[in-house]
Amino acid sequence: MKNKYNVIVIGSGPGGSTVANQCAAKGLKVAVADELFGGTCALRGCTPKKAMETVTTTFRKFNHLREHGLPDEKLKVDWQKLQAHKQLFTSNVVSGTKANFREKGIDLIESKVEFAGKNKLKTTNGTIYEADKIMIATGAIPRPLDFSGHTYLTTTRELFEINELPKRILFAGGGYIGFEMAHILSVTGAKIMVASGEEVPLSAFDSDLVNPIIKATLNHGIQVKTGWSVIKIKQQKEEYKVTLQRTNSEEQQTVVTDMVVHSAGRVPNVEGLNLKKGKVDFSEKGIEVNEHFQSVSNPTVYAIGDVIGKFPFTPLANFEGEIAVNNMLNKPKKTVNYDGIPMVMFTYPRLAAIGMTEQKAKEEGLKYEVFQKKLSGSLLEKAAQNDFAGYKVIVEKKTEKILGVHLLGSSADEVINLFAMAIQLDIPIKKLKNLLLAYPTAGHLIQYMVSE
């Protein structure tokens, strides 16, 4: 049968690509279905963000070091040149992804698909495909918002492609994407506001370090309004009148801006898949799978990555893909240990974390101790003229197991990886205390972060 496959993968991002490539390498007949090949991370997520953020962070460091050996000149980043720099990383993603699949004998279904049965998919033009196994790796989409005027919201996907950056931008939501993009865009000279419905945003990070990053954000000239949600957007000629409402109050304020960007989080992308037709159970958290990434209701179907609502990290989707392929091929079943997975918010300075917040440890009734200190006076942070740095390490008393690590600093993104290795390799803090590490580096401080 022409349209019959061993495996059809829905989604061509890193996780889906891992599954397709590994299945094809094992001699299976494989197809990948997608509307735009390449995935969110490479096209409109991690990759373009990092390309831009590298430039803007360098610019911020320059500003911090003016009068300390660098010219005292007030500059700004050119948005169009920054866009051109980003294009170096994204322009060939679609064609390169397709070419890679074809080279490996993987067929392309260049269409959105939906379930037409437990093991059947239908394209937008009605073509039916059948598979022994179906892998869903469709990622996540912006969280649906239904307030008046929500259609005027600009997505970050659209923001990455805009040619002329407006002078005033409001981010509706205080998630990490909003803060990252606010830090990037503010160096262009645009006036930026972040409106968060939460009094203390960025709930995945410990509040003791969230408050300093908010201060750092304010120090960059970005306005942050915590405890205020966007409840209405009204267009007025070339600008927007935005109504904000105080959380748990009737108090309202009006802000006029040129663009309102959706930054209120993302949800698993199950939209349009017709999962009920495929007998695939799902909830607000995503597709319901067992520990082997197999649908709890349809054994033909597997799912990995953001669409199952666990951790929205690209390397993790790749790893889940490898484990899922093993399980799909009926080998001894494997699972994924999610302990010690780090996350980083690429603002300047960086905010990074692993594991529990102190609040979570309290709620679970754990007996723990906290190692905590400001680092703004440390050698590297002082050399970088960064006034916002610190750490908080939460350790279980009896076992000396690291429960959570929260870092703020110019190199927090690299230091968190050392803690990730310690947790994933089950290294006790008594060994971390005796490490000999290169000095002066940010990583050198980890031995003191678990002993002071």
PDB file of all heavy atoms in Angstrom, residues 35-70:
ATOM      1  N   GLU A  35       3.538  21.128   8.465  1.00  0.00           N
ATOM      2  CA  GLU A  35       3.245  22.237   7.559  1.00  0.00           C
ATOM      3  C   GLU A  35       4.498  23.035   7.242  1.00  0.00           C
ATOM      4  O   GLU A  35       4.709  23.459   6.114  1.00  0.00           O
ATOM      5  CB  GLU A  35       2.202  23.165   8.185  1.00  0.00           C
ATOM      6  CG  GLU A  35       0.822  22.568   8.336  1.00  0.00           C
ATOM      7  CD  GLU A  35      -0.138  23.550   8.978  1.00  0.00           C
ATOM      8  OE1 GLU A  35      -0.079  23.731  10.209  1.00  0.00           O
ATOM      9  OE2 GLU A  35      -0.949  24.146   8.236  1.00  0.00           O
ATOM     10  N   LEU A  36       5.337  23.245   8.260  1.00  0.00           N
ATOM     11  CA  LEU A  36       6.577  23.990   8.111  1.00  0.00           C
ATOM     12  C   LEU A  36       7.685  23.181   8.772  1.00  0.00           C
ATOM     13  O   LEU A  36       7.705  23.024   9.989  1.00  0.00           O
ATOM     14  CB  LEU A  36       6.454  25.370   8.769  1.00  0.00           C
ATOM     15  CG  LEU A  36       7.652  26.304   8.628  1.00  0.00           C
ATOM     16  CD1 LEU A  36       7.864  26.675   7.161  1.00  0.00           C
ATOM     17  CD2 LEU A  36       7.467  27.551   9.472  1.00  0.00           C
ATOM     18  N   PHE A  37       8.609  22.675   7.968  1.00  0.00           N
ATOM     19  CA  PHE A  37       9.616  21.740   8.479  1.00  0.00           C
ATOM     20  C   PHE A  37      10.742  22.468   9.201  1.00  0.00           C
ATOM     21  O   PHE A  37      11.230  23.496   8.744  1.00  0.00           O
ATOM     22  CB  PHE A  37      10.167  20.883   7.336  1.00  0.00           C
ATOM     23  CG  PHE A  37       9.270  19.746   6.961  1.00  0.00           C
ATOM     24  CD1 PHE A  37       8.114  19.970   6.220  1.00  0.00           C
ATOM     25  CD2 PHE A  37       9.542  18.453   7.374  1.00  0.00           C
ATOM     26  CE1 PHE A  37       7.263  18.930   5.879  1.00  0.00           C
ATOM     27  CE2 PHE A  37       8.702  17.403   7.051  1.00  0.00           C
ATOM     28  CZ  PHE A  37       7.557  17.640   6.303  1.00  0.00           C
ATOM     29  N   GLY A  38      11.130  21.913  10.351  1.00  0.00           N
ATOM     30  CA  GLY A  38      12.236  22.469  11.109  1.00  0.00           C
ATOM     31  C   GLY A  38      11.961  22.596  12.593  1.00  0.00           C
ATOM     32  O   GLY A  38      12.865  22.487  13.409  1.00  0.00           O
ATOM     33  N   GLY A  39      10.711  22.865  12.956  1.00  0.00           N
ATOM     34  CA  GLY A  39      10.349  22.929  14.367  1.00  0.00           C
ATOM     35  C   GLY A  39      10.514  24.304  14.981  1.00  0.00           C
ATOM     36  O   GLY A  39      11.212  25.178  14.465  1.00  0.00           O
ATOM     37  N   THR A  40       9.852  24.482  16.122  1.00  0.00           N
ATOM     38  CA  THR A  40       9.838  25.773  16.806  1.00  0.00           C
ATOM     39  C   THR A  40      11.228  26.217  17.248  1.00  0.00           C
ATOM     40  O   THR A  40      11.618  27.370  17.060  1.00  0.00           O
ATOM     41  CB  THR A  40       8.911  25.701  18.036  1.00  0.00           C
ATOM     42  OG1 THR A  40       7.580  25.476  17.606  1.00  0.00           O
ATOM     43  CG2 THR A  40       8.957  26.995  18.835  1.00  0.00           C
ATOM     44  N   CYS A  41      12.010  25.322  17.835  1.00  0.00           N
ATOM     45  CA  CYS A  41      13.303  25.694  18.401  1.00  0.00           C
ATOM     46  C   CYS A  41      14.207  26.313  17.342  1.00  0.00           C
ATOM     47  O   CYS A  41      14.798  27.369  17.550  1.00  0.00           O
ATOM     48  CB  CYS A  41      13.972  24.467  19.016  1.00  0.00           C
ATOM     49  SG  CYS A  41      15.572  24.838  19.776  1.00  0.00           S
ATOM     50  N   ALA A  42      14.308  25.654  16.196  1.00  0.00           N
ATOM     51  CA  ALA A  42      15.235  26.118  15.167  1.00  0.00           C
ATOM     52  C   ALA A  42      14.722  27.329  14.407  1.00  0.00           C
ATOM     53  O   ALA A  42      15.506  28.177  13.974  1.00  0.00           O
ATOM     54  CB  ALA A  42      15.527  24.982  14.183  1.00  0.00           C
ATOM     55  N   LEU A  43      13.410  27.443  14.244  1.00  0.00           N
ATOM     56  CA  LEU A  43      12.852  28.500  13.404  1.00  0.00           C
ATOM     57  C   LEU A  43      12.431  29.740  14.174  1.00  0.00           C
ATOM     58  O   LEU A  43      12.601  30.871  13.701  1.00  0.00           O
ATOM     59  CB  LEU A  43      11.643  27.959  12.624  1.00  0.00           C
ATOM     60  CG  LEU A  43      11.946  27.014  11.470  1.00  0.00           C
ATOM     61  CD1 LEU A  43      10.663  26.369  10.976  1.00  0.00           C
ATOM     62  CD2 LEU A  43      12.642  27.753  10.336  1.00  0.00           C
ATOM     63  N   ARG A  44      11.857  29.576  15.351  1.00  0.00           N
ATOM     64  CA  ARG A  44      11.281  30.721  16.051  1.00  0.00           C
ATOM     65  C   ARG A  44      11.384  30.583  17.568  1.00  0.00           C
ATOM     66  O   ARG A  44      10.575  31.135  18.304  1.00  0.00           O
ATOM     67  CB  ARG A  44       9.809  30.887  15.648  1.00  0.00           C
ATOM     68  CG  ARG A  44       8.992  29.602  15.717  1.00  0.00           C
ATOM     69  CD  ARG A  44       7.616  29.738  15.096  1.00  0.00           C
ATOM     70  NE  ARG A  44       6.859  28.518  15.148  1.00  0.00           N
ATOM     71  CZ  ARG A  44       6.876  27.572  14.208  1.00  0.00           C
ATOM     72  NH1 ARG A  44       7.614  27.749  13.130  1.00  0.00           N
ATOM     73  NH2 ARG A  44       6.140  26.482  14.310  1.00  0.00           N
ATOM     74  N   GLY A  45      12.393  29.858  18.011  1.00  0.00           N
ATOM     75  CA  GLY A  45      12.563  29.660  19.444  1.00  0.00           C
ATOM     76  C   GLY A  45      14.012  29.826  19.868  1.00  0.00           C
ATOM     77  O   GLY A  45      14.605  30.892  19.710  1.00  0.00           O
ATOM     78  N   CYS A  46      14.587  28.756  20.389  1.00  0.00           N
ATOM     79  CA  CYS A  46      15.920  28.806  20.996  1.00  0.00           C
ATOM     80  C   CYS A  46      16.986  29.380  20.067  1.00  0.00           C
ATOM     81  O   CYS A  46      17.775  30.243  20.475  1.00  0.00           O
ATOM     82  CB  CYS A  46      16.363  27.403  21.421  1.00  0.00           C
ATOM     83  SG  CYS A  46      15.107  26.439  22.262  1.00  0.00           S
ATOM     84  N   THR A  47      17.022  28.916  18.821  1.00  0.00           N
ATOM     85  CA  THR A  47      18.106  29.311  17.915  1.00  0.00           C
ATOM     86  C   THR A  47      18.080  30.794  17.569  1.00  0.00           C
ATOM     87  O   THR A  47      19.080  31.492  17.782  1.00  0.00           O
ATOM     88  CB  THR A  47      18.080  28.453  16.640  1.00  0.00           C
ATOM     89  OG1 THR A  47      18.275  27.073  17.003  1.00  0.00           O
ATOM     90  CG2 THR A  47      19.170  28.876  15.672  1.00  0.00           C
ATOM     91  N   PRO A  48      16.977  31.328  17.019  1.00  0.00           N
ATOM     92  CA  PRO A  48      16.987  32.766  16.724  1.00  0.00           C
ATOM     93  C   PRO A  48      17.121  33.623  17.978  1.00  0.00           C
ATOM     94  O   PRO A  48      17.773  34.673  17.955  1.00  0.00           O
ATOM     95  CB  PRO A  48      15.648  32.999  16.015  1.00  0.00           C
ATOM     96  CG  PRO A  48      14.787  31.847  16.416  1.00  0.00           C
ATOM     97  CD  PRO A  48      15.728  30.696  16.580  1.00  0.00           C
ATOM     98  N   LYS A  49      16.516  33.168  19.069  1.00  0.00           N
ATOM     99  CA  LYS A  49      16.640  33.918  20.325  1.00  0.00           C
ATOM    100  C   LYS A  49      18.095  34.008  20.753  1.00  0.00           C
ATOM    101  O   LYS A  49      18.583  35.088  21.123  1.00  0.00           O
ATOM    102  CB  LYS A  49      15.818  33.249  21.419  1.00  0.00           C
ATOM    103  CG  LYS A  49      15.975  33.873  22.792  1.00  0.00           C
ATOM    104  CD  LYS A  49      15.384  32.994  23.874  1.00  0.00           C
ATOM    105  CE  LYS A  49      16.276  31.792  24.152  1.00  0.00           C
ATOM    106  NZ  LYS A  49      15.722  30.916  25.220  1.00  0.00           N
ATOM    107  N   LYS A  50      18.812  32.880  20.711  1.00  0.00           N
ATOM    108  CA  LYS A  50      20.204  32.865  21.150  1.00  0.00           C
ATOM    109  C   LYS A  50      21.072  33.705  20.223  1.00  0.00           C
ATOM    110  O   LYS A  50      21.995  34.392  20.680  1.00  0.00           O
ATOM    111  CB  LYS A  50      20.726  31.427  21.216  1.00  0.00           C
ATOM    112  CG  LYS A  50      22.133  31.310  21.785  1.00  0.00           C
ATOM    113  CD  LYS A  50      22.216  31.865  23.197  1.00  0.00           C
ATOM    114  CE  LYS A  50      23.623  31.755  23.760  1.00  0.00           C
ATOM    115  NZ  LYS A  50      23.737  32.394  25.095  1.00  0.00           N
ATOM    116  N   ALA A  51      20.786  33.652  18.917  1.00  0.00           N
ATOM    117  CA  ALA A  51      21.555  34.464  17.969  1.00  0.00           C
ATOM    118  C   ALA A  51      21.420  35.944  18.306  1.00  0.00           C
ATOM    119  O   ALA A  51      22.401  36.698  18.329  1.00  0.00           O
ATOM    120  CB  ALA A  51      21.076  34.199  16.542  1.00  0.00           C
ATOM    121  N   MET A  52      20.200  36.372  18.609  1.00  0.00           N
ATOM    122  CA  MET A  52      19.959  37.771  18.957  1.00  0.00           C
ATOM    123  C   MET A  52      20.518  38.100  20.338  1.00  0.00           C
ATOM    124  O   MET A  52      21.170  39.133  20.536  1.00  0.00           O
ATOM    125  CB  MET A  52      18.458  38.057  18.927  1.00  0.00           C
ATOM    126  CG  MET A  52      17.848  38.082  17.552  1.00  0.00           C
ATOM    127  SD  MET A  52      16.080  38.452  17.653  1.00  0.00           S
ATOM    128  CE  MET A  52      15.749  38.949  15.948  1.00  0.00           C
ATOM    129  N   GLU A  53      20.266  37.226  21.287  1.00  0.00           N
ATOM    130  CA  GLU A  53      20.655  37.490  22.675  1.00  0.00           C
ATOM    131  C   GLU A  53      22.166  37.586  22.829  1.00  0.00           C
ATOM    132  O   GLU A  53      22.665  38.357  23.659  1.00  0.00           O
ATOM    133  CB  GLU A  53      20.077  36.388  23.566  1.00  0.00           C
ATOM    134  CG  GLU A  53      20.401  36.513  25.034  1.00  0.00           C
ATOM    135  CD  GLU A  53      21.706  35.830  25.396  1.00  0.00           C
ATOM    136  OE1 GLU A  53      22.032  34.811  24.763  1.00  0.00           O
ATOM    137  OE2 GLU A  53      22.403  36.326  26.307  1.00  0.00           O
ATOM    138  N   THR A  54      22.920  36.857  22.033  1.00  0.00           N
ATOM    139  CA  THR A  54      24.377  36.950  22.097  1.00  0.00           C
ATOM    140  C   THR A  54      24.839  38.370  21.779  1.00  0.00           C
ATOM    141  O   THR A  54      25.719  38.919  22.446  1.00  0.00           O
ATOM    142  CB  THR A  54      25.019  35.956  21.119  1.00  0.00           C
ATOM    143  OG1 THR A  54      24.625  34.625  21.470  1.00  0.00           O
ATOM    144  CG2 THR A  54      26.539  36.045  21.162  1.00  0.00           C
ATOM    145  N   VAL A  55      24.200  38.964  20.777  1.00  0.00           N
ATOM    146  CA  VAL A  55      24.538  40.339  20.396  1.00  0.00           C
ATOM    147  C   VAL A  55      24.114  41.319  21.484  1.00  0.00           C
ATOM    148  O   VAL A  55      24.889  42.188  21.912  1.00  0.00           O
ATOM    149  CB  VAL A  55      23.868  40.712  19.054  1.00  0.00           C
ATOM    150  CG1 VAL A  55      24.094  42.190  18.730  1.00  0.00           C
ATOM    151  CG2 VAL A  55      24.403  39.842  17.926  1.00  0.00           C
ATOM    152  N   THR A  56      22.872  41.173  21.946  1.00  0.00           N
ATOM    153  CA  THR A  56      22.350  42.156  22.898  1.00  0.00           C
ATOM    154  C   THR A  56      23.016  42.048  24.268  1.00  0.00           C
ATOM    155  O   THR A  56      23.213  43.052  24.948  1.00  0.00           O
ATOM    156  CB  THR A  56      20.820  42.028  23.031  1.00  0.00           C
ATOM    157  OG1 THR A  56      20.469  40.701  23.451  1.00  0.00           O
ATOM    158  CG2 THR A  56      20.141  42.309  21.692  1.00  0.00           C
ATOM    159  N   THR A  57      23.381  40.843  24.681  1.00  0.00           N
ATOM    160  CA  THR A  57      24.095  40.689  25.950  1.00  0.00           C
ATOM    161  C   THR A  57      25.486  41.303  25.857  1.00  0.00           C
ATOM    162  O   THR A  57      25.958  41.948  26.805  1.00  0.00           O
ATOM    163  CB  THR A  57      24.187  39.204  26.345  1.00  0.00           C
ATOM    164  OG1 THR A  57      22.891  38.748  26.721  1.00  0.00           O
ATOM    165  CG2 THR A  57      25.129  38.997  27.524  1.00  0.00           C
ATOM    166  N   THR A  58      26.151  41.115  24.722  1.00  0.00           N
ATOM    167  CA  THR A  58      27.455  41.754  24.521  1.00  0.00           C
ATOM    168  C   THR A  58      27.321  43.267  24.606  1.00  0.00           C
ATOM    169  O   THR A  58      28.164  43.963  25.205  1.00  0.00           O
ATOM    170  CB  THR A  58      28.033  41.363  23.147  1.00  0.00           C
ATOM    171  OG1 THR A  58      28.181  39.941  23.087  1.00  0.00           O
ATOM    172  CG2 THR A  58      29.389  42.012  22.910  1.00  0.00           C
ATOM    173  N   PHE A  59      26.249  43.788  24.046  1.00  0.00           N
ATOM    174  CA  PHE A  59      25.980  45.217  24.107  1.00  0.00           C
ATOM    175  C   PHE A  59      25.783  45.671  25.552  1.00  0.00           C
ATOM    176  O   PHE A  59      26.311  46.708  25.973  1.00  0.00           O
ATOM    177  CB  PHE A  59      24.734  45.531  23.277  1.00  0.00           C
ATOM    178  CG  PHE A  59      24.311  46.977  23.323  1.00  0.00           C
ATOM    179  CD1 PHE A  59      24.907  47.917  22.501  1.00  0.00           C
ATOM    180  CD2 PHE A  59      23.304  47.384  24.184  1.00  0.00           C
ATOM    181  CE1 PHE A  59      24.521  49.249  22.547  1.00  0.00           C
ATOM    182  CE2 PHE A  59      22.909  48.715  24.239  1.00  0.00           C
ATOM    183  CZ  PHE A  59      23.522  49.647  23.414  1.00  0.00           C
ATOM    184  N   ARG A  60      25.047  44.898  26.325  1.00  0.00           N
ATOM    185  CA  ARG A  60      24.819  45.272  27.725  1.00  0.00           C
ATOM    186  C   ARG A  60      26.137  45.258  28.511  1.00  0.00           C
ATOM    187  O   ARG A  60      26.390  46.130  29.350  1.00  0.00           O
ATOM    188  CB  ARG A  60      23.808  44.329  28.369  1.00  0.00           C
ATOM    189  CG  ARG A  60      22.393  44.501  27.847  1.00  0.00           C
ATOM    190  CD  ARG A  60      21.377  44.007  28.843  1.00  0.00           C
ATOM    191  NE  ARG A  60      20.027  44.090  28.291  1.00  0.00           N
ATOM    192  CZ  ARG A  60      19.316  45.208  28.209  1.00  0.00           C
ATOM    193  NH1 ARG A  60      19.849  46.345  28.635  1.00  0.00           N
ATOM    194  NH2 ARG A  60      18.100  45.197  27.697  1.00  0.00           N
ATOM    195  N   LYS A  61      26.956  44.261  28.251  1.00  0.00           N
ATOM    196  CA  LYS A  61      28.249  44.200  28.927  1.00  0.00           C
ATOM    197  C   LYS A  61      29.098  45.418  28.568  1.00  0.00           C
ATOM    198  O   LYS A  61      29.795  45.982  29.420  1.00  0.00           O
ATOM    199  CB  LYS A  61      28.978  42.906  28.557  1.00  0.00           C
ATOM    200  CG  LYS A  61      28.350  41.648  29.149  1.00  0.00           C
ATOM    201  CD  LYS A  61      29.128  40.406  28.750  1.00  0.00           C
ATOM    202  CE  LYS A  61      28.524  39.160  29.388  1.00  0.00           C
ATOM    203  NZ  LYS A  61      29.265  37.930  28.993  1.00  0.00           N
ATOM    204  N   PHE A  62      29.035  45.812  27.293  1.00  0.00           N
ATOM    205  CA  PHE A  62      29.747  47.012  26.852  1.00  0.00           C
ATOM    206  C   PHE A  62      29.284  48.224  27.656  1.00  0.00           C
ATOM    207  O   PHE A  62      30.085  49.005  28.155  1.00  0.00           O
ATOM    208  CB  PHE A  62      29.507  47.240  25.358  1.00  0.00           C
ATOM    209  CG  PHE A  62      30.075  48.530  24.830  1.00  0.00           C
ATOM    210  CD1 PHE A  62      31.374  48.576  24.325  1.00  0.00           C
ATOM    211  CD2 PHE A  62      29.333  49.702  24.839  1.00  0.00           C
ATOM    212  CE1 PHE A  62      31.905  49.757  23.843  1.00  0.00           C
ATOM    213  CE2 PHE A  62      29.852  50.893  24.361  1.00  0.00           C
ATOM    214  CZ  PHE A  62      31.155  50.922  23.863  1.00  0.00           C
ATOM    215  N   ASN A  63      27.965  48.358  27.792  1.00  0.00           N
ATOM    216  CA  ASN A  63      27.419  49.498  28.532  1.00  0.00           C
ATOM    217  C   ASN A  63      27.858  49.498  29.995  1.00  0.00           C
ATOM    218  O   ASN A  63      28.122  50.545  30.584  1.00  0.00           O
ATOM    219  CB  ASN A  63      25.895  49.508  28.452  1.00  0.00           C
ATOM    220  CG  ASN A  63      25.397  50.224  27.207  1.00  0.00           C
ATOM    221  OD1 ASN A  63      26.154  50.925  26.542  1.00  0.00           O
ATOM    222  ND2 ASN A  63      24.133  50.050  26.887  1.00  0.00           N
ATOM    223  N   HIS A  64      27.927  48.289  30.576  1.00  0.00           N
ATOM    224  CA  HIS A  64      28.340  48.182  31.973  1.00  0.00           C
ATOM    225  C   HIS A  64      29.801  48.605  32.158  1.00  0.00           C
ATOM    226  O   HIS A  64      30.194  49.050  33.248  1.00  0.00           O
ATOM    227  CB  HIS A  64      28.159  46.756  32.480  1.00  0.00           C
ATOM    228  CG  HIS A  64      26.736  46.426  32.798  1.00  0.00           C
ATOM    229  ND1 HIS A  64      26.380  45.258  33.423  1.00  0.00           N
ATOM    230  CD2 HIS A  64      25.579  47.092  32.577  1.00  0.00           C
ATOM    231  CE1 HIS A  64      25.054  45.233  33.577  1.00  0.00           C
ATOM    232  NE2 HIS A  64      24.561  46.328  33.058  1.00  0.00           N
ATOM    233  N   LEU A  65      30.593  48.431  31.106  1.00  0.00           N
ATOM    234  CA  LEU A  65      32.032  48.675  31.214  1.00  0.00           C
ATOM    235  C   LEU A  65      32.466  49.993  30.581  1.00  0.00           C
ATOM    236  O   LEU A  65      33.671  50.235  30.428  1.00  0.00           O
ATOM    237  CB  LEU A  65      32.799  47.500  30.593  1.00  0.00           C
ATOM    238  CG  LEU A  65      32.632  46.173  31.348  1.00  0.00           C
ATOM    239  CD1 LEU A  65      33.257  45.030  30.572  1.00  0.00           C
ATOM    240  CD2 LEU A  65      33.240  46.263  32.743  1.00  0.00           C
ATOM    241  N   ARG A  66      31.488  50.808  30.215  1.00  0.00           N
ATOM    242  CA  ARG A  66      31.859  52.149  29.760  1.00  0.00           C
ATOM    243  C   ARG A  66      32.570  52.880  30.897  1.00  0.00           C
ATOM    244  O   ARG A  66      32.195  52.736  32.067  1.00  0.00           O
ATOM    245  CB  ARG A  66      30.611  52.930  29.332  1.00  0.00           C
ATOM    246  CG  ARG A  66      30.057  52.462  27.982  1.00  0.00           C
ATOM    247  CD  ARG A  66      28.979  53.390  27.467  1.00  0.00           C
ATOM    248  NE  ARG A  66      27.835  53.455  28.363  1.00  0.00           N
ATOM    249  CZ  ARG A  66      27.036  54.518  28.475  1.00  0.00           C
ATOM    250  NH1 ARG A  66      27.279  55.594  27.764  1.00  0.00           N
ATOM    251  NH2 ARG A  66      26.009  54.498  29.287  1.00  0.00           N
ATOM    252  N   GLU A  67      33.579  53.607  30.554  1.00  0.00           N
ATOM    253  CA  GLU A  67      34.415  54.339  31.517  1.00  0.00           C
ATOM    254  C   GLU A  67      35.354  53.420  32.294  1.00  0.00           C
ATOM    255  O   GLU A  67      36.062  53.866  33.192  1.00  0.00           O
ATOM    256  CB  GLU A  67      33.571  55.162  32.503  1.00  0.00           C
ATOM    257  CG  GLU A  67      32.711  56.228  31.858  1.00  0.00           C
ATOM    258  CD  GLU A  67      31.969  57.058  32.891  1.00  0.00           C
ATOM    259  OE1 GLU A  67      31.922  56.658  34.078  1.00  0.00           O
ATOM    260  OE2 GLU A  67      31.449  58.116  32.511  1.00  0.00           O
ATOM    261  N   HIS A  68      35.341  52.115  31.962  1.00  0.00           N
ATOM    262  CA  HIS A  68      36.275  51.191  32.608  1.00  0.00           C
ATOM    263  C   HIS A  68      37.225  50.605  31.565  1.00  0.00           C
ATOM    264  O   HIS A  68      37.621  49.446  31.640  1.00  0.00           O
ATOM    265  CB  HIS A  68      35.513  50.071  33.317  1.00  0.00           C
ATOM    266  CG  HIS A  68      34.643  50.556  34.432  1.00  0.00           C
ATOM    267  ND1 HIS A  68      35.121  50.818  35.703  1.00  0.00           N
ATOM    268  CD2 HIS A  68      33.320  50.870  34.463  1.00  0.00           C
ATOM    269  CE1 HIS A  68      34.133  51.243  36.469  1.00  0.00           C
ATOM    270  NE2 HIS A  68      33.030  51.285  35.742  1.00  0.00           N
ATOM    271  N   GLY A  69      37.562  51.412  30.581  1.00  0.00           N
ATOM    272  CA  GLY A  69      38.470  50.976  29.520  1.00  0.00           C
ATOM    273  C   GLY A  69      37.814  50.924  28.162  1.00  0.00           C
ATOM    274  O   GLY A  69      38.495  50.819  27.142  1.00  0.00           O
ATOM    275  N   LEU A  70      36.467  50.965  28.128  1.00  0.00           N
ATOM    276  CA  LEU A  70      35.734  51.007  26.869  1.00  0.00           C
ATOM    277  C   LEU A  70      35.216  52.427  26.636  1.00  0.00           C
ATOM    278  O   LEU A  70      34.997  53.178  27.587  1.00  0.00           O
ATOM    279  CB  LEU A  70      34.567  50.016  26.890  1.00  0.00           C
ATOM    280  CG  LEU A  70      34.956  48.539  26.925  1.00  0.00           C
ATOM    281  CD1 LEU A  70      33.709  47.673  27.039  1.00  0.00           C
ATOM    282  CD2 LEU A  70      35.743  48.149  25.686  1.00  0.00           C
TER     283      LEU A  70
END
